[in-house]
Amino acid sequence: TNMKSFLALLSIATLSSSHAFHASAPLPIAASSRVGSRSTSVSPQSQDGDASTIDTSNAQSPLSNVATVFASTVAVGAILLSTVGSTAWAVSGGGLDYAGIDISGQDFSNASYKGKDFTQVLAKATNFAKSNLQGCRFYKAYLVNTNFEGADVRGVSFEDTSMDNANLKDIVAVGSYFGQSLVDVKTLENGDFTDATIPPKTLKLVCDREDVKGTNPTTGADTRDSLMCL
């Protein structure tokens, strides 16, 4: 939202500068002649038949106006940009999104964060319940006690994360990528892990868990079948 406001203000500044340029530009003249360094123009004859000469030697050139407009726009843009905090820029969808910051204990539930970058985020006990996290990146994130119950994490990267006691109940993890920490989560009950990428040794340990059971309420997939557990 902050970034959108910045872009809107910058557009207004550009339009204002452009208006100033057109307003200050010299009007077209009928004919002109140049003698040495002095430039003159001849206006249409008056009703009395006399011609009047207009001295334009001191008129500002269009190129000078263009330079002025450009400099003004850049200056205004720099001022506006300085008012947008680095954190606001990060979480607005550009830059690094949520990567590398501490969002522990915060409520991210029932919302859409599709495609956001949570690389190396510190999200201890953060609540992502029933949120759309499709395509997000949680590489090397700290997800201890994090709540993903009912979340849509299709295609999400969970490699090299710490997921001790994380709640994955009812999760839709189709095509997601997990590391060894999957065995440390609190529960996998009713999860859909169809086509998920899990290290073979980790998968064997996961399949031995008693909570690998149930049916996903969103997709209808059987949890054990989705993991291809025997």
Side-chain angles (χ1 to χ4, degrees), residues 5 8 11 15 33 54 56 63-64 71 74-76 84 86 110 130 138-139 144 152 159 163 168 204 225-226 228:
S5 300
S11 297
L15 290 174
S33 62
I54 301 174
T56 62
L63 290 177
S64 176
V74 171
V76 172
V84 181
S86 59
N110 296 290
K130 298 183 179 180
F138 282 89
Y139 181 67
V144 174
D152 187 343
E159 295 105 328
M163 303 184 74
L168 304 190
K204 185 179 183 304
D225 289 346
S226 70
M228 300 184 69

Side-chain angles (χ1 to χ4, degrees), residues 6 9-14 16-17 69-83:
F6 161 68
L9 291 173
L10 183 57
S11 297
I12 293 172
T14 303
S16 298
S17 299
V69 171
F70 177 76
S72 299
T73 302
V74 171
V76 172
I79 293 173
L80 293 175
L81 182 60
S82 67
T83 65

Side-chain angles (χ1 to χ4, degrees), residues 109 132 226:
S109 64
N132 184 351
S226 70

